[in-house]
Amino acid sequence: MANDKTLNVEVWRGAEDGRFESFEVPARDSQTVLDVVSHIQRHLDETLTYRFACRVGMCGSCAMTVNGRPRWTCRTHVSRVARNGRLTIAPLRNLPVIKDLACDMTPFFDKWQQARAVFDPSTTRDDPVAAITPDSPKRREASAAIECINCAVCYAACDSVTWNPDYLGPAALNRAWTLVNDQRDADQRARRAAIMSDAGCGNCHSHQSCTELCPNELNPTRSIAGLKRLAMKNLFGGEPS
Ligand code: FES
């Protein structure tokens, strides 16, 4: 039974057909959800599997489902999310579960490739460095969406991915939007084909869960809206912007 000194924590164990297991964890000041998971692994069950690396919100590896919502656990304080001293911690939605809290991220990163969300240089290292005007409209669009840490919180939050597992998803399309606006990139034709495909931006229903939950306060819904405008221009023969 949890009290103000302990937390009652339900943790997913096993693969897709697993179950929740209960642990009692000491409550601490300024405790993060990752602290709770680490306490369980170090003191209660060393077989618990989970991922983390930086602990400071940089690497994106620690995302899990906490009381029903995807979160970066190293920057999520227990005091913000616990309900009556209770936490339920599960792997991210929309990805295969490997074991316990660790998902297989392969489909997530495969979709970055499918979306052509990878910089394709138009010059070589021997060419002069491209002059980029930081406050040009295109550069401002790219810069506003660039700070993604690949945590997959938006991907797990997206109902459109749940409904259509082929959908490229908010992270890959957000990155594609930064490259659409990058004048140095040479792969715009293939990228436009990807974002206009059956798996592309037309799947987004603008629910905005990605924007609500992005730990870096990015707005993938806005980026995808930009891609939709670009797709419409292409569809009706307008010059791509
Ligand atoms: Fe790196 Fe959380 S451990 S972002």
Side-chain angles (χ1 to χ4, degrees):
M1 185 76 177
N3 52 45
D4 58 355
K5 302 259 174 43
T6 62
L7 299 164
N8 254 340
V9 188
E10 300 279 316
V11 179
W12 187 258
R13 304 306 307 271
E16 308 280 354
D17 58 349
R19 76 217 176 287
F20 284 100
E21 188 176 345
S22 300
F23 296 92
E24 235 173 62
V25 175
R28 308 265 189 237
D29 288 342
S30 303
Q31 189 175 28
T32 66
V33 174
L34 184 60
D35 291 336
V36 169
V37 174
S38 296
H39 177 91
I40 294 170
Q41 200 261 352
R42 286 175 192 169
H43 301 288
L44 303 177
D45 187 343
E46 65 188 13
T47 69
L48 179 65
T49 301
Y50 64 110
R51 284 199 192 95
F52 73 96
C54 71
R55 283 188 171 272
V56 291
M58 298 287 289
C59 73
S61 65
C62 67
M64 303 168 199
T65 305
V66 182
N67 284 358
R69 307 196 113 194
R71 308 255 184 207
W72 55 356
T73 57
C74 71
R75 298 289 298 273
T76 300
H77 282 94
V78 170
S79 58
R80 279 186 46 223
V81 292
R83 297 187 198 119
N84 301 319
R86 302 185 74 87
L87 284 175
T88 302
I89 307 174
L92 289 179
R93 192 173 69 135
N94 294 338
L95 289 163
V97 181
I98 298 173
K99 178 177 177 287
D100 302 340
L101 302 171
C103 291
D104 181 357
M105 300 292 285
T106 306
F108 176 73
F109 289 114
D110 280 352
K111 288 179 178 180
W112 283 58
Q113 298 287 339
Q114 288 170 34
R116 298 289 203 278
V118 179
F119 180 63
D120 184 38
S122 53
T123 56
T124 71
R125 66 179 63 196
D126 300 321
D127 293 315
V129 174
I132 304 294
T133 311
D135 57 357
S136 72
K138 282 195 157 213
R139 192 62 235 171
R140 285 161 83 124
E141 288 289 352
S143 297
I146 203 79
E147 296 290 344
C148 174
I149 59 170
N150 312 339
C151 65
V153 161
C154 61
Y155 190 83
C158 181
D159 287 335
S160 295
V161 173
T162 307
W163 296 331
N164 177 11
D166 291 334
Y167 172 39
L168 297 171
L173 291 175
N174 179 74
R175 177 64 177 142
W177 176 242
T178 67
L179 293 166
V180 160
N181 286 289
D182 192 328
Q183 67 189 65
R184 302 165 304 160
D185 190 278
D187 198 19
Q188 299 296 351
R189 187 178 293 272
R191 186 169 300 113
R192 277 198 297 275
I195 64 180
M196 292 173 67
S197 70
D198 287 349
C201 61
N203 288 273
C204 172
H205 290 221
S206 303
H207 291 168
Q208 303 195 53
S209 304
C210 53
T211 299
E212 182 189 344
L213 291 163
C214 174
N216 263 358
E217 300 182 352
L218 301 183
N219 190 341
T221 309
R222 184 177 187 279
S223 299
I224 296 168
L227 295 176
K228 288 176 179 172
R229 287 195 302 276
L230 180 68
M232 291 304 283
K233 278 184 189 169
N234 274 263
L235 218 52
F236 291 107
E239 199 57 36
S241 61

